[in-house]
Amino acid sequence: MGTLLKCYKPLFSIRFSSFPNSLHSPQLRSHSFKFNHPRRRILIRHCFASLSPSSHPLINGKTSDGNLQPEIPSSDLWLHNTMSKKKELFKPKVEGRVGMYVCGVTAYDLSHIGHARVYVTFDVLYRYLKHLGYEVCYVRNFTDVDDKIIARANELGEDPINLSRRYCDEFNQDMVHLQCLPPSAEPRVSDHMPQIIDMIKQIVDNGYAYRVEGDVFFAVEKFPDYGQLSGRKLEDNRAGERVAVDSRKRNPADFALWKSAKEGEPFWESPWGPGRPGWHIECSAMSATYLGHTFDIHGGGMDLVFPHHENEIAQSCAACKQSNVSYWIHNGFVTIDSEKMSKSLGNFFTIRQVIDLYHPLALRLFLMGTHYRSPINYSDVLLESASERLFYIYQTLHDCEDVLSQHDKGLQESIPPETSDIINKFHNDFLASMSDDLHTPVVLAALSDPLKTINDLLHTRKGKKQALRIESVSALEKIIRNILNVLGLMPTSYCEALQQLRDMALKRAKLTEGEILRKIEERNEARKNKEYEKSDAIRKDLAVLGIALMDSPTGTSWRPAIPLALQEQQVAAT
């Protein structure tokens, strides 16, 4: 076995983004920076404070360039580590800083809601790490060189790189809709061929790979720890299941690091002849390029545990024996009738299809309503429920805005003890649940008490008589707003979001607002004439379509609701 000649260091030293350690901080703004790459300039978004050619070691609480060391988070965070199969206390390799790599999409089609779950999950983790005070470098790649991309491009008569670039842009638009913050870096395979080829050379030189004609294969039997992440044994890996059948391999489980060029495919020159990289090597090379061979978190969907992440570990360690990732984190599947949603099975809904009928933040809320490691079953009733819940949250906070706009001066700083207790409990529940492996369903449930209290203070006779009522409303609105910010559920405008939710409810019901208003007038006339059976029928007909009528002393209004048939289905299921 060859001697290890060198290990990768990050290609660039990156100052990480920070998110103020406060629930009262404003939403982050996105920034764009560029830096030189050996082949072309790569766009780095959002969270780089600066770029420099060398690292800045910490000296007496300060970095060597004179800046203060980042504040160290005080809250303990526990994350489930796929490698150890248990929850572990999170401790970054560099105090106060986190390096996180998440495997991105293979860009050959529109992304489905299974993809949405991956990137919402890691966006929540990204946001929460920054909330705790960590500076985070979040790297999420694009696979833009792959068999599936080439096959799709050939079908469409399009250049594979151009096709992939188009779908990368579509993916980023989906992420904007879902309010996923842009990562620190979004490297693409086609931009990193020198780094990929260099890593393959190291693996070959160290005796872990072999060449067959123009192909290079990783020799799994040379890596005794193969299977440590997935728990699979080599004898369990039968050719044709997750690895290509190839009689030239020494072991059926060996996998391609480099594939020789085939007619009509894009290729790059290499020491082994023209070709392109295998799927797995790209992430090992790009994570090493941006984060080094040792970093904190590597994430992705549960389907990547084997073979992708298992192979990444083998490759990275073969290239550099010091290679180490502290925490391997994987989210559960989105299922349809208890079967994994995937393009290969044809049982998927694209993000675009879903957000054409439902508010994107309703989809985000739906995905966060189940713990990230558990499977979540896609259904219309759950999306309707998330949409209705989102409307209730935003309507409550919009009502707050209306009242507070009339009392923008003269508010006292103190609030009643009972309001303070509600706020403290909500804040503590938020921290405890999120720090327990990102238990977002508990946080979403904990919203109920402060929202109910706001509605009592605004709309009930007893609430309107409470001392320091407006001060309580202001404080409650503020804590909810700031936690929604951390969860990525804060809209740019409550009013705008409510109108969007109404418009989408009308679209699902195949009604116009004018038609609903005419139904309300017809019902009012029936009530006036004491035709209560007709009045009730109008109300029920609208409820069947997901339109709820709300009677009040000032008149009748409408709001989106779960369609009656789906409500009955939900009751039957529970």
Side-chain angles (χ1 to χ4, degrees), residues 289-359:
T289 297
Y290 290 89
L291 299 172
H293 260 295
T294 66
F295 57 94
D296 301 296
I297 295 170
H298 197 315
M302 199 170 289
D303 54 329
L304 297 185
V305 174
F306 185 88
H308 187 51
H309 288 164
E310 195 73 75
N311 291 352
E312 274 194 66
I313 292 169
Q315 294 164 159
S316 296
C317 291
C320 177
K321 63 183 178 182
Q322 284 82 28
S323 177
N324 176 260
V325 174
S326 300
Y327 303 87
W328 289 87
I329 298 175
H330 297 90
N331 64 275
F333 298 131
V334 177
T335 59
I336 300 278
D337 297 327
S338 301
E339 189 171 42
K340 176 198 167 189
M341 180 181 293
S342 71
K343 288 180 180 174
S344 60
L345 295 173
N347 64 342
F348 67 93
F349 295 95
T350 67
I351 296 170
R352 297 290 171 85
Q353 287 174 313
V354 175
I355 66 176
D356 185 51
L357 291 174
Y358 294 93
H359 196 289

Coordinates of all heavy atoms in Angstrom, one line a residue, residues 289-359:
T289 N -12.6 20.2 -0.4 CA -12.2 21.4 -1.0 C -12.7 22.6 -0.1 O -11.9 23.5 0.1 CB -12.8 21.6 -2.4 OG1 -12.3 20.5 -3.2 CG2 -12.4 22.9 -3.0
Y290 N -13.9 22.5 0.3 CA -14.5 23.7 1.1 C -14.4 23.6 2.6 O -14.4 24.6 3.2 CB -16.0 23.9 0.7 CG -16.1 24.3 -0.8 CD1 -16.1 23.4 -1.8 CD2 -16.1 25.7 -1.1 CE1 -16.2 23.8 -3.1 CE2 -16.2 26.1 -2.4 CZ -16.2 25.2 -3.4 OH -16.3 25.6 -4.7
L291 N -14.3 22.4 3.1 CA -14.4 22.2 4.6 C -13.1 21.5 5.1 O -13.0 21.4 6.3 CB -15.6 21.5 5.0 CG -17.0 22.1 4.6 CD1 -18.1 21.2 4.9 CD2 -17.1 23.4 5.4
G292 N -12.3 21.0 4.3 CA -11.2 20.2 4.7 C -11.6 18.7 4.9 O -12.8 18.4 4.7
H293 N -10.7 17.9 5.3 CA -11.0 16.5 5.4 C -11.7 16.1 6.8 O -12.1 15.0 7.0 CB -9.7 15.6 5.2 CG -9.6 15.0 3.9 ND1 -10.5 14.0 3.4 CD2 -8.8 15.2 2.9 CE1 -10.2 13.7 2.2 NE2 -9.1 14.4 1.8
T294 N -11.6 17.1 7.7 CA -12.3 16.9 8.9 C -13.3 18.0 9.1 O -12.9 19.2 9.1 CB -11.3 16.8 10.1 OG1 -10.7 18.1 10.3 CG2 -10.3 15.7 9.9
F295 N -14.5 17.7 9.3 CA -15.5 18.8 9.6 C -16.7 18.2 10.4 O -16.6 17.0 10.8 CB -16.1 19.4 8.3 CG -16.6 18.4 7.3 CD1 -18.0 18.2 7.3 CD2 -15.8 17.8 6.4 CE1 -18.6 17.4 6.3 CE2 -16.4 17.0 5.4 CZ -17.7 16.7 5.4
D296 N -17.7 19.0 10.7 CA -18.6 18.6 11.8 C -19.8 17.7 11.4 O -20.1 16.7 11.9 CB -19.1 19.9 12.5 CG -18.0 20.7 13.0 OD1 -17.4 20.2 14.0 OD2 -17.8 21.9 12.6
I297 N -20.5 18.2 10.3 CA -21.8 17.6 10.0 C -21.8 17.2 8.5 O -21.5 18.1 7.7 CB -23.0 18.5 10.3 CG1 -23.1 18.8 11.8 CG2 -24.3 17.9 9.8 CD1 -24.0 19.9 12.2
H298 N -22.3 16.0 8.2 CA -22.5 15.6 6.8 C -24.0 15.1 6.8 O -24.3 14.2 7.6 CB -21.6 14.5 6.4 CG -21.5 14.3 4.9 ND1 -22.6 14.3 4.1 CD2 -20.5 14.2 4.0 CE1 -22.3 14.1 2.8 NE2 -21.0 14.1 2.7
G299 N -24.8 15.6 5.9 CA -26.2 15.2 6.0 C -26.8 14.9 4.6 O -26.1 15.1 3.6
G300 N -28.0 14.3 4.6 CA -28.7 14.0 3.4 C -29.9 13.1 3.8 O -30.1 12.8 5.0
G301 N -30.6 12.6 2.8 CA -31.7 11.7 3.0 C -31.2 10.4 3.4 O -30.1 10.0 3.2
M302 N -32.1 9.6 4.1 CA -31.8 8.3 4.6 C -31.3 7.3 3.5 O -30.6 6.4 3.7 CB -33.0 7.7 5.3 CG -32.6 6.6 6.3 SD -34.0 6.2 7.3 CE -34.1 7.6 8.4
D303 N -31.8 7.6 2.2 CA -31.5 6.7 1.1 C -30.0 6.8 0.7 O -29.5 6.0 0.0 CB -32.3 7.0 -0.1 CG -32.3 8.5 -0.5 OD1 -32.2 9.3 0.4 OD2 -32.5 8.8 -1.7
L304 N -29.3 7.9 1.3 CA -27.9 8.1 0.9 C -26.9 7.3 1.9 O -25.7 7.3 1.6 CB -27.6 9.6 0.9 CG -28.3 10.4 -0.1 CD1 -27.8 11.8 -0.1 CD2 -28.2 9.8 -1.5
V305 N -27.5 6.8 3.0 CA -26.6 6.1 3.9 C -25.8 5.0 3.2 O -24.6 4.9 3.3 CB -27.4 5.5 5.1 CG1 -26.5 4.6 6.0 CG2 -28.1 6.5 5.9
F306 N -26.5 4.2 2.4 CA -25.8 3.2 1.5 C -26.4 3.3 0.1 O -27.6 3.3 0.0 CB -25.9 1.8 2.1 CG -25.1 0.8 1.3 CD1 -23.8 0.5 1.6 CD2 -25.7 0.2 0.2 CE1 -23.1 -0.4 0.9 CE2 -25.0 -0.7 -0.5 CZ -23.7 -1.0 -0.2
P307 N -25.5 3.4 -0.9 CA -24.1 3.3 -0.8 C -23.3 4.6 -0.8 O -22.1 4.6 -0.5 CB -23.7 2.6 -2.1 CG -24.7 3.1 -3.1 CD -26.0 3.3 -2.3
H308 N -24.0 5.7 -1.0 CA -23.3 7.0 -1.3 C -22.5 7.4 -0.1 O -21.3 7.6 -0.3 CB -24.3 8.1 -1.6 CG -23.7 9.4 -2.1 ND1 -22.7 9.4 -3.0 CD2 -23.9 10.6 -1.6 CE1 -22.4 10.7 -3.2 NE2 -23.0 11.4 -2.4
H309 N -23.0 7.5 1.1 CA -22.2 8.0 2.2 C -21.2 7.0 2.7 O -20.1 7.3 3.1 CB -23.1 8.5 3.3 CG -23.8 9.8 3.0 ND1 -24.9 10.3 3.7 CD2 -23.6 10.7 2.0 CE1 -25.3 11.4 3.2 NE2 -24.5 11.7 2.2
E310 N -21.6 5.7 2.6 CA -20.6 4.7 2.9 C -19.4 4.7 2.0 O -18.3 4.6 2.5 CB -21.3 3.3 2.8 CG -20.6 2.1 3.4 CD -20.7 2.2 4.9 OE1 -21.7 1.8 5.5 OE2 -19.7 2.5 5.6
N311 N -19.7 5.0 0.7 CA -18.6 5.1 -0.2 C -17.8 6.4 0.0 O -16.5 6.4 -0.2 CB -19.1 5.0 -1.6 CG -19.6 3.6 -2.0 OD1 -19.4 2.7 -1.2 ND2 -20.2 3.5 -3.1
E312 N -18.4 7.4 0.4 CA -17.7 8.7 0.7 C -16.7 8.5 1.8 O -15.6 9.0 1.7 CB -18.7 9.8 1.1 CG -19.3 10.5 -0.1 CD -20.0 11.8 0.4 OE1 -19.3 12.7 0.9 OE2 -21.3 11.8 0.3
I313 N -17.2 7.8 2.8 CA -16.3 7.6 4.0 C -15.0 6.8 3.5 O -13.9 7.2 3.8 CB -17.0 6.8 5.1 CG1 -18.1 7.7 5.7 CG2 -16.0 6.3 6.2 CD1 -19.0 7.0 6.6
A314 N -15.2 5.7 2.7 CA -14.1 4.9 2.3 C -13.2 5.7 1.4 O -11.9 5.7 1.6 CB -14.7 3.7 1.5
Q315 N -13.7 6.5 0.5 CA -12.9 7.3 -0.4 C -12.1 8.3 0.3 O -10.9 8.5 0.1 CB -13.7 8.0 -1.4 CG -14.5 7.2 -2.4 CD -15.6 7.9 -3.1 OE1 -16.0 7.5 -4.1 NE2 -16.1 9.0 -2.5
S316 N -12.8 9.1 1.2 CA -12.1 10.2 1.9 C -11.0 9.7 2.8 O -9.9 10.2 2.9 CB -13.2 10.9 2.8 OG -14.1 11.6 1.9
C317 N -11.3 8.5 3.5 CA -10.2 8.0 4.4 C -9.1 7.4 3.6 O -7.9 7.4 4.0 CB -10.8 6.9 5.3 SG -12.0 7.5 6.5
A318 N -9.4 6.9 2.4 CA -8.3 6.3 1.5 C -7.4 7.4 1.0 O -6.2 7.2 0.8 CB -9.0 5.5 0.4
A319 N -8.0 8.6 0.8 CA -7.2 9.7 0.3 C -6.5 10.4 1.4 O -5.3 10.9 1.2 CB -8.2 10.8 -0.4
C320 N -7.0 10.4 2.6 CA -6.4 11.1 3.7 C -6.8 10.4 5.0 O -8.0 10.4 5.4 CB -6.8 12.6 3.8 SG -6.1 13.4 5.2
K321 N -5.8 9.7 5.6 CA -6.2 8.9 6.8 C -6.7 9.7 8.0 O -7.4 9.1 8.9 CB -4.9 8.1 7.2 CG -3.8 8.9 7.7 CD -2.6 8.0 8.0 CE -1.4 8.8 8.5 NZ -0.2 7.9 8.7
Q322 N -6.5 11.0 8.0 CA -7.1 11.8 9.1 C -8.5 12.2 8.8 O -9.1 12.9 9.6 CB -6.2 13.1 9.2 CG -4.9 13.0 9.9 CD -3.8 12.5 9.0 OE1 -3.9 12.7 7.8 NE2 -2.9 11.7 9.5
S323 N -9.1 11.8 7.7 CA -10.4 12.2 7.3 C -11.4 11.8 8.4 O -11.4 10.7 8.9 CB -10.8 11.6 6.0 OG -12.2 11.9 5.7
N324 N -12.3 12.7 8.8 CA -13.3 12.4 9.8 C -14.4 13.4 9.8 O -14.2 14.6 9.6 CB -12.6 12.5 11.2 CG -13.6 12.3 12.3 OD1 -14.1 13.2 12.9 ND2 -13.9 11.0 12.6
V325 N -15.6 12.9 9.8 CA -16.9 13.7 10.0 C -17.5 13.3 11.3 O -17.7 12.1 11.6 CB -17.9 13.4 8.9 CG1 -19.2 14.1 9.1 CG2 -17.3 13.9 7.5
S326 N -17.7 14.3 12.2 CA -18.2 14.0 13.5 C -19.6 13.5 13.6 O -19.9 12.6 14.4 CB -18.1 15.3 14.4 OG -16.8 15.8 14.4
Y327 N -20.5 14.1 12.8 CA -21.9 13.7 12.9 C -22.5 13.5 11.5 O -22.5 14.3 10.6 CB -22.7 14.9 13.6 CG -22.2 15.2 14.9 CD1 -21.2 16.2 15.1 CD2 -22.7 14.6 16.1 CE1 -20.7 16.5 16.3 CE2 -22.2 15.0 17.3 CZ -21.2 15.9 17.4 OH -20.7 16.2 18.7
W328 N -23.0 12.3 11.3 CA -23.8 11.9 10.1 C -25.3 12.0 10.4 O -25.7 11.3 11.3 CB -23.4 10.5 9.6 CG -22.0 10.5 9.1 CD1 -20.8 10.2 9.8 CD2 -21.6 10.7 7.8 NE1 -19.7 10.3 9.0 CE2 -20.1 10.5 7.7 CE3 -22.2 10.9 6.5 CZ2 -19.4 10.6 6.5 CZ3 -21.5 11.0 5.4 CH2 -20.1 10.9 5.4
I329 N -26.0 12.9 9.7 CA -27.4 13.1 10.0 C -28.2 12.8 8.8 O -27.9 13.3 7.7 CB -27.6 14.6 10.5 CG1 -26.7 14.8 11.8 CG2 -29.0 14.9 10.7 CD1 -26.8 16.2 12.3
H330 N -29.3 12.1 9.0 CA -30.1 11.7 7.8 C -31.6 11.9 8.2 O -32.0 11.5 9.3 CB -29.8 10.2 7.5 CG -28.5 10.0 7.0 ND1 -27.4 9.6 7.9 CD2 -27.9 10.1 5.8 CE1 -26.3 9.5 7.2 NE2 -26.6 9.8 5.9
N331 N -32.3 12.4 7.2 CA -33.8 12.6 7.4 C -34.6 11.4 6.8 O -34.1 10.7 5.9 CB -34.3 13.9 6.8 CG -34.1 13.9 5.3 OD1 -33.0 14.2 4.8 ND2 -35.2 13.5 4.5
G332 N -35.8 11.2 7.3 CA -36.6 10.1 6.9 C -37.3 10.4 5.5 O -37.2 11.6 5.1
F333 N -37.9 9.4 5.0 CA -38.5 9.6 3.6 C -39.9 10.3 3.7 O -40.6 10.3 4.8 CB -38.8 8.2 3.0 CG -37.5 7.4 2.7 CD1 -37.4 6.1 3.1 CD2 -36.4 8.0 2.1 CE1 -36.3 5.4 2.9 CE2 -35.3 7.3 1.8 CZ -35.2 6.0 2.2
V334 N -40.3 10.9 2.6 CA -41.7 11.2 2.4 C -42.3 10.0 1.7 O -41.7 9.5 0.7 CB -41.9 12.5 1.5 CG1 -43.3 12.8 1.3 CG2 -41.2 13.7 2.2
T335 N -43.4 9.5 2.2 CA -44.0 8.3 1.6 C -45.4 8.6 1.0 O -46.0 9.6 1.3 CB -44.1 7.2 2.6 OG1 -45.0 7.7 3.7 CG2 -42.8 6.8 3.2
I336 N -45.7 7.7 0.1 CA -47.1 7.7 -0.5 C -47.6 6.3 -0.2 O -47.1 5.3 -0.7 CB -47.1 8.0 -2.0 CG1 -46.5 9.3 -2.3 CG2 -48.5 7.9 -2.6 CD1 -47.4 10.5 -2.2
D337 N -48.7 6.2 0.6 CA -49.2 4.9 0.9 C -48.1 4.0 1.5 O -47.9 2.8 1.1 CB -49.9 4.2 -0.3 CG -51.1 5.0 -0.8 OD1 -51.8 5.6 0.1 OD2 -51.3 5.0 -2.0
S338 N -47.3 4.6 2.4 CA -46.2 3.9 3.1 C -45.1 3.4 2.2 O -44.2 2.6 2.6 CB -46.7 2.7 3.9 OG -47.7 3.1 4.8
E339 N -45.0 3.9 0.9 CA -43.9 3.6 0.0 C -43.1 4.9 -0.2 O -43.7 6.0 -0.4 CB -44.4 3.1 -1.3 CG -43.4 2.5 -2.2 CD -44.0 1.8 -3.4 OE1 -44.9 2.3 -4.0 OE2 -43.5 0.7 -3.8
K340 N -41.8 4.8 -0.2 CA -40.9 5.9 -0.4 C -41.3 6.7 -1.7 O -41.5 6.1 -2.8 CB -39.4 5.5 -0.5 CG -38.5 6.6 -0.8 CD -37.1 6.1 -1.3 CE -36.3 7.2 -1.9 NZ -35.1 6.8 -2.6
M341 N -41.4 8.0 -1.6 CA -41.6 8.8 -2.8 C -40.3 9.0 -3.6 O -39.3 9.4 -3.0 CB -42.1 10.2 -2.4 CG -42.4 11.1 -3.6 SD -42.9 12.8 -3.0 CE -44.5 12.4 -2.4
S342 N -40.3 8.7 -4.8 CA -39.1 8.8 -5.6 C -39.4 8.9 -7.1 O -40.5 8.4 -7.5 CB -38.1 7.6 -5.4 OG -38.6 6.4 -6.0
K343 N -38.5 9.5 -7.9 CA -38.7 9.6 -9.3 C -38.7 8.2 -10.0 O -39.4 8.0 -10.9 CB -37.7 10.5 -9.9 CG -37.9 12.0 -9.5 CD -36.8 12.9 -10.1 CE -37.1 14.3 -9.8 NZ -36.1 15.3 -10.2
S344 N -37.8 7.4 -9.5 CA -37.7 6.0 -10.1 C -38.9 5.2 -10.0 O -39.2 4.4 -10.8 CB -36.5 5.3 -9.5 OG -36.7 5.1 -8.1
L345 N -39.7 5.4 -8.9 CA -40.9 4.7 -8.7 C -42.1 5.4 -9.3 O -43.2 4.8 -9.5 CB -41.2 4.5 -7.2 CG -40.2 3.6 -6.4 CD1 -40.5 3.7 -4.9 CD2 -40.3 2.2 -6.9
G346 N -41.9 6.6 -9.7 CA -43.0 7.4 -10.4 C -44.1 7.8 -9.5 O -45.2 8.3 -10.0
N347 N -43.9 7.7 -8.2 CA -45.0 8.1 -7.3 C -44.7 9.4 -6.5 O -44.7 9.5 -5.3 CB -45.2 7.0 -6.2 CG -44.0 6.7 -5.4 OD1 -42.9 7.2 -5.7 ND2 -44.2 6.1 -4.2
F348 N -44.4 10.4 -7.3 CA -43.9 11.7 -6.6 C -44.7 12.9 -7.1 O -45.4 12.9 -8.2 CB -42.4 11.9 -6.9 CG -42.1 12.2 -8.4 CD1 -42.1 13.5 -8.8 CD2 -41.9 11.2 -9.3 CE1 -41.8 13.8 -10.1 CE2 -41.7 11.5 -10.6 CZ -41.6 12.8 -11.1
F349 N -44.7 13.9 -6.3 CA -45.3 15.2 -6.6 C -44.1 16.2 -6.6 O -43.3 16.2 -5.6 CB -46.3 15.6 -5.6 CG -47.6 14.8 -5.6 CD1 -47.7 13.7 -4.7 CD2 -48.6 15.0 -6.5 CE1 -48.8 12.9 -4.7 CE2 -49.7 14.2 -6.5 CZ -49.9 13.2 -5.6
T350 N -44.0 17.0 -7.6 CA -42.9 18.0 -7.6 C -43.3 19.1 -6.6 O -44.5 19.3 -6.3 CB -42.7 18.6 -9.0 OG1 -43.8 19.3 -9.4 CG2 -42.4 17.5 -10.0
I351 N -42.3 19.8 -6.2 CA -42.6 21.0 -5.3 C -43.5 22.0 -6.1 O -44.4 22.5 -5.5 CB -41.2 21.7 -5.0 CG1 -40.4 20.7 -4.1 CG2 -41.5 23.0 -4.2 CD1 -38.9 21.2 -3.9
R352 N -43.2 22.1 -7.4 CA -44.0 23.1 -8.2 C -45.5 22.7 -8.2 O -46.4 23.5 -8.1 CB -43.5 23.2 -9.6 CG -42.1 23.7 -9.7 CD -42.1 25.2 -9.4 NE -40.7 25.6 -9.3 CZ -40.0 26.0 -10.3 NH1 -40.5 26.0 -11.5 NH2 -38.7 26.4 -10.2
Q353 N -45.8 21.4 -8.3 CA -47.2 20.9 -8.3 C -47.9 21.2 -7.0 O -49.0 21.6 -7.0 CB -47.2 19.4 -8.6 CG -46.9 19.0 -10.0 CD -46.8 17.5 -10.2 OE1 -46.1 16.8 -9.4 NE2 -47.4 16.9 -11.2
V354 N -47.1 21.0 -5.9 CA -47.8 21.2 -4.6 C -48.0 22.7 -4.4 O -49.1 23.1 -3.9 CB -46.9 20.6 -3.5 CG1 -47.5 21.0 -2.1 CG2 -46.8 19.1 -3.7
I355 N -47.0 23.6 -4.6 CA -47.1 25.0 -4.3 C -48.0 25.7 -5.3 O -48.3 26.9 -5.2 CB -45.8 25.7 -4.1 CG1 -45.0 25.7 -5.4 CG2 -45.0 25.0 -3.0 CD1 -43.6 26.5 -5.3
D356 N -48.4 25.0 -6.4 CA -49.4 25.6 -7.3 C -50.8 25.7 -6.6 O -51.6 26.5 -7.0 CB -49.5 24.8 -8.6 CG -50.4 25.4 -9.6 OD1 -50.2 26.6 -9.9 OD2 -51.3 24.7 -10.1
L357 N -51.0 24.8 -5.7 CA -52.3 24.7 -5.0 C -52.2 25.1 -3.5 O -53.2 25.4 -2.9 CB -52.8 23.3 -5.1 CG -53.3 22.9 -6.5 CD1 -53.7 21.4 -6.5 CD2 -54.5 23.7 -7.0
Y358 N -51.0 25.0 -2.9 CA -50.8 25.3 -1.5 C -49.7 26.3 -1.3 O -48.7 26.3 -2.1 CB -50.5 24.0 -0.7 CG -51.6 23.0 -0.7 CD1 -51.7 22.0 -1.6 CD2 -52.6 23.1 0.3 CE1 -52.7 21.1 -1.6 CE2 -53.7 22.2 0.3 CZ -53.7 21.2 -0.7 OH -54.7 20.3 -0.7
H359 N -49.9 27.2 -0.3 CA -48.8 28.1 0.0 C -47.5 27.4 0.3 O -47.5 26.4 1.0 CB -49.2 29.0 1.2 CG -48.5 30.2 1.4 ND1 -47.1 30.2 1.8 CD2 -48.8 31.5 1.2 CE1 -46.7 31.5 1.8 NE2 -47.7 32.3 1.5

